[in-house]
Amino acid sequence: MTTSQPAADSGPGPDDAGARPSPSISRRALRDGVYDALLEKILDGSAPAGSSLTIDALARELAVSPTPVREALVQMEHTGLVTREALKGYRVAPPMSREHLEQLFDMRLILEPAAAARAMARIEELLPELRAAHARHEAAADQVRRRLDEGRPTTGEGFAELREYFTADWSFHLAIVHASGNVFLQQSLDSLQTHVQRMRQTADHGRLDMDEAVAEHADVLAAFETREPTTVDDALRRHLHAVAGRVSSDG
């Protein structure tokens, strides 16, 4: 989130309480809001892989001008979530190739165990956060499971529970990396989040690995509870290898 800082000396004084945000901040906030709305459409399945993204139509749907839509799509193109063809416009990117999936998990297997090893120095601070993240993940899985048991869709308007599940899942991993105390490890994992989202964009929302993922997170948490670095490393690597195998079998 971007916050403005007060001027040091000159300029409007404290009586200027009605000052408006600068146009650049307002424009950036609008673009970010459009980006989030487009990301939601991709992840909830309402804009499936390969589908066309027309700037004017999206602007009408979101009740904004075409400019923030165009800026958001340019930003998405840099992440690989959408592609652009000359004279044809933007499309939702195709599913990640098997090769790119392997590279994604290879990178995670480099970053996350390294972060976990460093997080051991802050284990007493990490454990409460990791327990809370795991509890949130379990609760989110229960909500999605209940929706599926009732035969309600997890796409379109029903995506809210699934979005919370994905967020809770990723937050568990972020808690470990943040506890490493290494800002560059944190930035590296943050940069992978969009690619993880892309991995999920074509997921079959009716066939999830929730039970496996929740159980594996429980194993990782239990490993941290032992305070044994080798046990933690083994549990985390088993989880990441297991997720990679499940994703590959779906591809």
Side-chain angles (χ1 to χ4, degrees), residues 16-123:
D16 189 25
R20 296 181 179 179
S22 71
S24 61
I25 292 176
S26 299
R27 180 172 174 177
R28 191 182 314 125
L30 183 58
R31 180 203 63 201
D32 291 347
V34 171
Y35 182 97
D36 289 342
L38 296 181
L39 178 61
E40 185 92 346
K41 288 175 67 65
I42 292 173
L43 294 181
D44 72 10
S46 59
S51 61
S52 177
L53 296 169
T54 306
I55 291 175
D56 289 341
L58 289 169
R60 288 193 297 271
E61 178 183 343
L62 300 174
V64 297
S65 72
T67 298
V69 176
R70 186 177 296 107
E71 292 175 344
L73 287 171
V74 168
Q75 184 180 358
M76 280 191 160
E77 184 183 7
H78 292 319
T79 68
L81 284 168
V82 303
T83 61
R84 184 172 66 87
E85 300 178 52
L87 305 179
K88 293 184 179 179
Y90 290 93
R91 290 187 179 276
V92 179
M96 291 182 74
S97 67
R98 186 175 297 273
E99 179 183 4
H100 282 170
L101 285 171
E102 290 174 354
Q103 291 176 5
L104 173 61
F105 279 97
D106 185 43
M107 186 62 170
R108 291 186 66 181
L109 281 160
I110 292 170
L111 290 175
E112 295 190 49
R118 288 156 179 77
M120 298 303 294
R122 298 174 175 80
I123 187 65

Side-chain angles (χ1 to χ4, degrees), residues 124-134 171-172 175-176 178-179:
E124 301 307 329
E125 301 171 21
L126 170 61
L127 282 175
E129 295 183 12
L130 206 56
R131 292 176 190 128
H134 181 55
S171 294
F172 183 89
I176 297 170
H178 287 168

Side-chain angles (χ1 to χ4, degrees), residues 166-244:
F166 287 150
T167 300
D169 184 313
W170 189 245
S171 294
F172 183 89
H173 292 266
L174 285 179
I176 297 170
V177 177
H178 287 168
S180 73
N182 187 312
V183 295
F184 296 105
L185 277 172
Q186 295 173 31
Q187 290 172 2
S188 296
L189 191 69
D190 285 342
S191 73
L192 292 183
Q193 183 173 6
T194 299
H195 301 290
V196 173
Q197 291 170 333
R198 186 182 170 203
M199 177 188 76
R200 292 167 170 162
Q201 78 187 59
T202 53
D204 182 346
H205 293 162
R207 179 167 48 86
L208 296 165
D209 65 345
M210 291 185 302
D211 293 340
E212 296 94 334
V214 170
E216 289 159 13
H217 280 194
D219 290 342
V220 172
L221 173 58
F224 273 105
E225 299 274 11
T226 71
R227 295 168 171 75
E228 291 290 337
T230 302
T231 304
V232 169
D233 187 80
D234 288 345
L236 185 55
R237 288 180 184 276
R238 281 198 306 272
H239 170 47
L240 292 173
H241 279 298
V243 175

